[in-house]
Amino acid sequence: MTDSERSGESTPVTRKGGGAAATRGRTTIADGVVEKIAGMAARDVVGVHAMGSGLSRTFGAVRDRVPGGGGAKASVARGVKAEVGEVQTALDLEIVVDYGVSIADVAGAVRENVIAAVERMTGLEVVEVNIAVSDVKLPDEEEDEPESRLQ
């Protein structure tokens, strides 16, 4: 037994590379990544009919039909705006709810689901999730998507 072991002192261990892997570099997460995660989490909530305003959904539907227009990738983040810092993020969501649901309950469930998904997947602290309800989908309303002239 060495003198340091007898006295209870620990001997510093030298690691190759100079420290833990977590301290060797920086991870950055783009706003769009957080927007997609939040968009998917919000859509999972019962009572959310769509994301975004009527105008953005109409433009998105047209864009989805144009080859190379972004398609499903762009529509996932529709209605979501994220501001991402080094350790925190704030989100604004615009949703359309189904008629008959409690808007307060849907908004609360969306907020909980979004916070859980973003924090779990990114490690960022979600400081706020602002939700704007821009419309309510009535049972007899048709979808806002324009008819395709192509056949």
Side-chain angles (χ1 to χ4, degrees), residues 34-44 51 76-78 80 93 114:
V34 175
E35 290 167 357
K36 286 181 180 181
I37 294 167
M40 290 297 292
R43 282 175 176 79
D44 284 344
M51 301 289 295
V76 172
R78 186 180 305 137
V80 183
L93 283 77
V114 166

PDB file of all heavy atoms in Angstrom, residues 34-44 51 76-78 80 93 114:
ATOM      1  N   VAL A  34     -35.726  21.640 -33.429  1.00  0.00           N
ATOM      2  CA  VAL A  34     -36.650  21.803 -32.303  1.00  0.00           C
ATOM      3  C   VAL A  34     -38.073  22.005 -32.823  1.00  0.00           C
ATOM      4  O   VAL A  34     -39.028  21.473 -32.263  1.00  0.00           O
ATOM      5  CB  VAL A  34     -36.207  22.971 -31.395  1.00  0.00           C
ATOM      6  CG1 VAL A  34     -37.225  23.231 -30.299  1.00  0.00           C
ATOM      7  CG2 VAL A  34     -34.837  22.675 -30.786  1.00  0.00           C
ATOM      8  N   GLU A  35     -38.216  22.754 -33.915  1.00  0.00           N
ATOM      9  CA  GLU A  35     -39.541  22.984 -34.508  1.00  0.00           C
ATOM     10  C   GLU A  35     -40.177  21.680 -34.974  1.00  0.00           C
ATOM     11  O   GLU A  35     -41.371  21.451 -34.763  1.00  0.00           O
ATOM     12  CB  GLU A  35     -39.442  23.985 -35.657  1.00  0.00           C
ATOM     13  CG  GLU A  35     -39.142  25.395 -35.164  1.00  0.00           C
ATOM     14  CD  GLU A  35     -38.733  26.363 -36.265  1.00  0.00           C
ATOM     15  OE1 GLU A  35     -38.614  25.939 -37.440  1.00  0.00           O
ATOM     16  OE2 GLU A  35     -38.520  27.550 -35.951  1.00  0.00           O
ATOM     17  N   LYS A  36     -39.407  20.813 -35.580  1.00  0.00           N
ATOM     18  CA  LYS A  36     -39.951  19.526 -36.030  1.00  0.00           C
ATOM     19  C   LYS A  36     -40.359  18.650 -34.851  1.00  0.00           C
ATOM     20  O   LYS A  36     -41.423  18.021 -34.880  1.00  0.00           O
ATOM     21  CB  LYS A  36     -38.929  18.788 -36.903  1.00  0.00           C
ATOM     22  CG  LYS A  36     -38.795  19.378 -38.286  1.00  0.00           C
ATOM     23  CD  LYS A  36     -37.798  18.602 -39.102  1.00  0.00           C
ATOM     24  CE  LYS A  36     -37.658  19.194 -40.494  1.00  0.00           C
ATOM     25  NZ  LYS A  36     -36.713  18.446 -41.313  1.00  0.00           N
ATOM     26  N   ILE A  37     -39.525  18.596 -33.832  1.00  0.00           N
ATOM     27  CA  ILE A  37     -39.852  17.795 -32.649  1.00  0.00           C
ATOM     28  C   ILE A  37     -41.141  18.313 -32.014  1.00  0.00           C
ATOM     29  O   ILE A  37     -42.052  17.542 -31.692  1.00  0.00           O
ATOM     30  CB  ILE A  37     -38.688  17.821 -31.630  1.00  0.00           C
ATOM     31  CG1 ILE A  37     -37.459  17.114 -32.203  1.00  0.00           C
ATOM     32  CG2 ILE A  37     -39.117  17.198 -30.303  1.00  0.00           C
ATOM     33  CD1 ILE A  37     -36.189  17.351 -31.405  1.00  0.00           C
ATOM     34  N   ALA A  38     -41.237  19.627 -31.858  1.00  0.00           N
ATOM     35  CA  ALA A  38     -42.423  20.227 -31.243  1.00  0.00           C
ATOM     36  C   ALA A  38     -43.659  20.003 -32.113  1.00  0.00           C
ATOM     37  O   ALA A  38     -44.748  19.718 -31.595  1.00  0.00           O
ATOM     38  CB  ALA A  38     -42.196  21.719 -31.015  1.00  0.00           C
ATOM     39  N   GLY A  39     -43.506  20.121 -33.417  1.00  0.00           N
ATOM     40  CA  GLY A  39     -44.632  19.908 -34.327  1.00  0.00           C
ATOM     41  C   GLY A  39     -45.177  18.492 -34.247  1.00  0.00           C
ATOM     42  O   GLY A  39     -46.395  18.279 -34.207  1.00  0.00           O
ATOM     43  N   MET A  40     -44.278  17.521 -34.218  1.00  0.00           N
ATOM     44  CA  MET A  40     -44.711  16.118 -34.105  1.00  0.00           C
ATOM     45  C   MET A  40     -45.397  15.873 -32.755  1.00  0.00           C
ATOM     46  O   MET A  40     -46.428  15.209 -32.690  1.00  0.00           O
ATOM     47  CB  MET A  40     -43.514  15.176 -34.256  1.00  0.00           C
ATOM     48  CG  MET A  40     -42.943  15.127 -35.654  1.00  0.00           C
ATOM     49  SD  MET A  40     -44.095  14.500 -36.877  1.00  0.00           S
ATOM     50  CE  MET A  40     -44.209  12.797 -36.362  1.00  0.00           C
ATOM     51  N   ALA A  41     -44.831  16.423 -31.684  1.00  0.00           N
ATOM     52  CA  ALA A  41     -45.403  16.222 -30.351  1.00  0.00           C
ATOM     53  C   ALA A  41     -46.783  16.871 -30.240  1.00  0.00           C
ATOM     54  O   ALA A  41     -47.694  16.304 -29.638  1.00  0.00           O
ATOM     55  CB  ALA A  41     -44.463  16.784 -29.285  1.00  0.00           C
ATOM     56  N   ALA A  42     -46.955  18.041 -30.832  1.00  0.00           N
ATOM     57  CA  ALA A  42     -48.249  18.735 -30.776  1.00  0.00           C
ATOM     58  C   ALA A  42     -49.311  17.965 -31.556  1.00  0.00           C
ATOM     59  O   ALA A  42     -50.458  17.853 -31.123  1.00  0.00           O
ATOM     60  CB  ALA A  42     -48.113  20.154 -31.322  1.00  0.00           C
ATOM     61  N   ARG A  43     -48.941  17.426 -32.709  1.00  0.00           N
ATOM     62  CA  ARG A  43     -49.891  16.685 -33.544  1.00  0.00           C
ATOM     63  C   ARG A  43     -50.361  15.384 -32.884  1.00  0.00           C
ATOM     64  O   ARG A  43     -51.407  14.855 -33.229  1.00  0.00           O
ATOM     65  CB  ARG A  43     -49.258  16.356 -34.898  1.00  0.00           C
ATOM     66  CG  ARG A  43     -49.243  17.532 -35.839  1.00  0.00           C
ATOM     67  CD  ARG A  43     -48.499  17.193 -37.133  1.00  0.00           C
ATOM     68  NE  ARG A  43     -48.568  18.281 -38.074  1.00  0.00           N
ATOM     69  CZ  ARG A  43     -47.816  19.370 -38.037  1.00  0.00           C
ATOM     70  NH1 ARG A  43     -46.918  19.510 -37.076  1.00  0.00           N
ATOM     71  NH2 ARG A  43     -47.948  20.320 -38.939  1.00  0.00           N
ATOM     72  N   ASP A  44     -49.587  14.868 -31.930  1.00  0.00           N
ATOM     73  CA  ASP A  44     -49.948  13.640 -31.229  1.00  0.00           C
ATOM     74  C   ASP A  44     -51.083  13.837 -30.225  1.00  0.00           C
ATOM     75  O   ASP A  44     -51.635  12.864 -29.717  1.00  0.00           O
ATOM     76  CB  ASP A  44     -48.736  13.062 -30.485  1.00  0.00           C
ATOM     77  CG  ASP A  44     -47.752  12.373 -31.407  1.00  0.00           C
ATOM     78  OD1 ASP A  44     -48.129  12.071 -32.567  1.00  0.00           O
ATOM     79  OD2 ASP A  44     -46.605  12.134 -30.977  1.00  0.00           O
ATOM     80  N   MET A  51     -51.911  22.259 -37.678  1.00  0.00           N
ATOM     81  CA  MET A  51     -50.953  23.252 -37.176  1.00  0.00           C
ATOM     82  C   MET A  51     -50.871  24.390 -38.176  1.00  0.00           C
ATOM     83  O   MET A  51     -50.900  24.173 -39.380  1.00  0.00           O
ATOM     84  CB  MET A  51     -49.574  22.625 -37.008  1.00  0.00           C
ATOM     85  CG  MET A  51     -49.513  21.447 -36.065  1.00  0.00           C
ATOM     86  SD  MET A  51     -49.724  21.905 -34.346  1.00  0.00           S
ATOM     87  CE  MET A  51     -48.274  22.893 -34.102  1.00  0.00           C
ATOM     88  N   VAL A  76     -44.127  19.321 -41.247  1.00  0.00           N
ATOM     89  CA  VAL A  76     -43.965  18.889 -39.854  1.00  0.00           C
ATOM     90  C   VAL A  76     -43.778  20.090 -38.938  1.00  0.00           C
ATOM     91  O   VAL A  76     -44.324  20.136 -37.844  1.00  0.00           O
ATOM     92  CB  VAL A  76     -42.776  17.915 -39.709  1.00  0.00           C
ATOM     93  CG1 VAL A  76     -42.486  17.617 -38.251  1.00  0.00           C
ATOM     94  CG2 VAL A  76     -43.056  16.629 -40.462  1.00  0.00           C
ATOM     95  N   ALA A  77     -43.044  21.081 -39.383  1.00  0.00           N
ATOM     96  CA  ALA A  77     -42.759  22.252 -38.557  1.00  0.00           C
ATOM     97  C   ALA A  77     -43.743  23.393 -38.797  1.00  0.00           C
ATOM     98  O   ALA A  77     -43.608  24.450 -38.183  1.00  0.00           O
ATOM     99  CB  ALA A  77     -41.330  22.727 -38.821  1.00  0.00           C
ATOM    100  N   ARG A  78     -44.733  23.208 -39.655  1.00  0.00           N
ATOM    101  CA  ARG A  78     -45.708  24.263 -39.933  1.00  0.00           C
ATOM    102  C   ARG A  78     -46.422  24.642 -38.644  1.00  0.00           C
ATOM    103  O   ARG A  78     -46.869  23.795 -37.886  1.00  0.00           O
ATOM    104  CB  ARG A  78     -46.724  23.777 -40.968  1.00  0.00           C
ATOM    105  CG  ARG A  78     -47.686  24.867 -41.424  1.00  0.00           C
ATOM    106  CD  ARG A  78     -48.677  24.375 -42.454  1.00  0.00           C
ATOM    107  NE  ARG A  78     -47.991  23.783 -43.596  1.00  0.00           N
ATOM    108  CZ  ARG A  78     -48.366  22.657 -44.187  1.00  0.00           C
ATOM    109  NH1 ARG A  78     -49.391  21.984 -43.751  1.00  0.00           N
ATOM    110  NH2 ARG A  78     -47.697  22.185 -45.214  1.00  0.00           N
ATOM    111  N   VAL A  80     -45.035  26.197 -36.112  1.00  0.00           N
ATOM    112  CA  VAL A  80     -44.124  26.180 -34.955  1.00  0.00           C
ATOM    113  C   VAL A  80     -42.963  27.124 -35.218  1.00  0.00           C
ATOM    114  O   VAL A  80     -42.367  27.102 -36.290  1.00  0.00           O
ATOM    115  CB  VAL A  80     -43.565  24.764 -34.682  1.00  0.00           C
ATOM    116  CG1 VAL A  80     -42.676  24.763 -33.440  1.00  0.00           C
ATOM    117  CG2 VAL A  80     -44.679  23.751 -34.535  1.00  0.00           C
ATOM    118  N   LEU A  93     -46.475  28.122 -30.876  1.00  0.00           N
ATOM    119  CA  LEU A  93     -47.227  27.192 -31.710  1.00  0.00           C
ATOM    120  C   LEU A  93     -48.561  27.806 -32.089  1.00  0.00           C
ATOM    121  O   LEU A  93     -49.196  28.481 -31.273  1.00  0.00           O
ATOM    122  CB  LEU A  93     -47.499  25.883 -30.967  1.00  0.00           C
ATOM    123  CG  LEU A  93     -46.355  24.894 -30.836  1.00  0.00           C
ATOM    124  CD1 LEU A  93     -45.369  25.310 -29.789  1.00  0.00           C
ATOM    125  CD2 LEU A  93     -46.897  23.529 -30.515  1.00  0.00           C
ATOM    126  N   VAL A 114     -45.173  18.759 -25.762  1.00  0.00           N
ATOM    127  CA  VAL A 114     -44.067  19.446 -26.441  1.00  0.00           C
ATOM    128  C   VAL A 114     -42.873  19.584 -25.505  1.00  0.00           C
ATOM    129  O   VAL A 114     -41.733  19.293 -25.882  1.00  0.00           O
ATOM    130  CB  VAL A 114     -44.528  20.813 -26.990  1.00  0.00           C
ATOM    131  CG1 VAL A 114     -43.346  21.685 -27.383  1.00  0.00           C
ATOM    132  CG2 VAL A 114     -45.475  20.616 -28.169  1.00  0.00           C
TER     133      VAL A 114
END
